Amino acid sequence: MNNLLDIRDRVIVALGSTSGLGRAIAIGLAEHGAIVVPSGRREEELSALCQQIDTTGQRTLCRTTDVRNRESIDRLRDAVLEKFGRIDVLVNAAGVTFKEPTVNVSEEQWAALMDTDLTGVLRACQSFYEPLKNGSRGRIINIASLGSFLAFFQVAAYAAAKTAVLSLTKSLACEWARDGICVNAIVPGVFPTELNKKLIMGTARGNEMLMRTPMGRFGKPEELVGAALLLASDGASFITGQTIAVDGGYLASGVNQ
């Protein structure tokens, strides 16, 4: 019997993977045998990650990319195709956030966050559409957020962008199903990362999040790999437009005491 979760030799491009959850996903998929091309803006961090994925460089490619720049994304796409001949999976994990009373958020702050967290996803999906279509098992995995469903105090821009990412995921799933591309999203629960750890570690905000999480703990980045593995594999051949929450029960939670 074939292993439906076997992703050996699939060519996976992971944008926004130089740190945090994107990094954990990239490493995890590589450990399961995929050819993983991580990318992000920070050259030093990217180089270290590529070394960790494959010291020989034969099963990865090291190219910095800025999701705010379409030409940058296109150059990465072309380099991957030149080296590996195809692209099977796109992971969109690039994201930024800030905490600010919404009444004080400037249009420039709002637009800058949207440009990365939402429009960056659109740019990448558009850029990689043709190679994903040309393969027989194209997959797009977008990283959404608990903020896609719930309000979090003073992060309205981030929540709005991540809510829109879910809407975009559903729209592309419907449009591109005929092209053999499955488009899904993962919603991480509360995972301490460089992006948010100052907000949640040992703070009243973090304690409230723990109270609302039935498992009573924060997630570990490697716990996202299972969902990504499923969505990248043949096991997800009839799954599209869906969202998998990896959140310790947070979204299911009502009263926990």
Side-chain angles (χ1 to χ4, degrees), residues 89-221:
V89 182
L90 170 66
V91 179
N92 285 308
V96 296
T97 191
F98 61 84
K99 182 175 181 287
E100 180 81 18
T102 305
V103 69
N104 296 331
V105 174
S106 69
E107 290 189 16
E108 290 76 18
Q109 285 177 297
W110 182 277
L113 185 144
M114 291 292 171
D115 196 32
T116 296
D117 290 18
L118 175 58
T119 310
V121 174
L122 174 64
R123 289 189 189 101
C125 290
Q126 289 176 328
S127 179
F128 283 83
Y129 166 75
E130 287 295 340
L132 290 171
K133 176 183 176 182
N134 291 338
S136 60
R137 50 196 179 194
R139 303 282 189 272
I140 295 175
I141 304 171
N142 296 325
I143 305 302
S145 167
L146 292 176
S148 303
F149 297 92
L150 304 168
F152 283 78
F153 192 65
Q154 295 183 346
V155 289
Y158 180 76
K162 288 299 187 178
T163 300
V165 165
L166 283 193
S167 180
L168 179 61
T169 297
K170 294 176 183 179
S171 294
L172 294 184
C174 291
E175 289 187 37
W176 294 355
R178 67 191 66 187
D179 300 316
I181 302 172
C182 296
V183 187
N184 294 288
I186 295 173
V187 171
V190 186
F191 290 75
T193 68
E194 293 178 11
L195 199 65
N196 66 5
K197 62 183 179 182
K198 290 183 180 179
L199 293 176
I200 66 174
M201 298 302 292
T203 67
R205 188 184 187 92
N207 291 338
E208 182 179 351
M209 289 174 171
L210 287 173
M211 181 190 71
R212 293 174 181 272
T213 303
M215 287 190 176
R217 65 174 176 85
F218 295 135
K220 302 172 184 177

Side-chain angles (χ1 to χ4, degrees), residues 78-98:
D78 294 344
V80 176
L81 289 173
E82 182 178 356
K83 182 168 183 176
F84 298 113
R86 70 182 196 281
I87 297 167
D88 300 307
V89 182
L90 170 66
V91 179
N92 285 308
V96 296
T97 191
F98 61 84

Side-chain angles (χ1 to χ4, degrees), residues 20-22 24-25 29 143 186-189 191 220-230 244-247:
L21 303 184
I25 290 172
L29 294 177
I143 305 302
I186 295 173
V187 171
F191 290 75
K220 302 172 184 177
E222 59 270 22
E223 290 180 301
L224 284 177
V225 175
L229 176 63
L230 168 63
I244 298 178
V246 185
D247 66 351

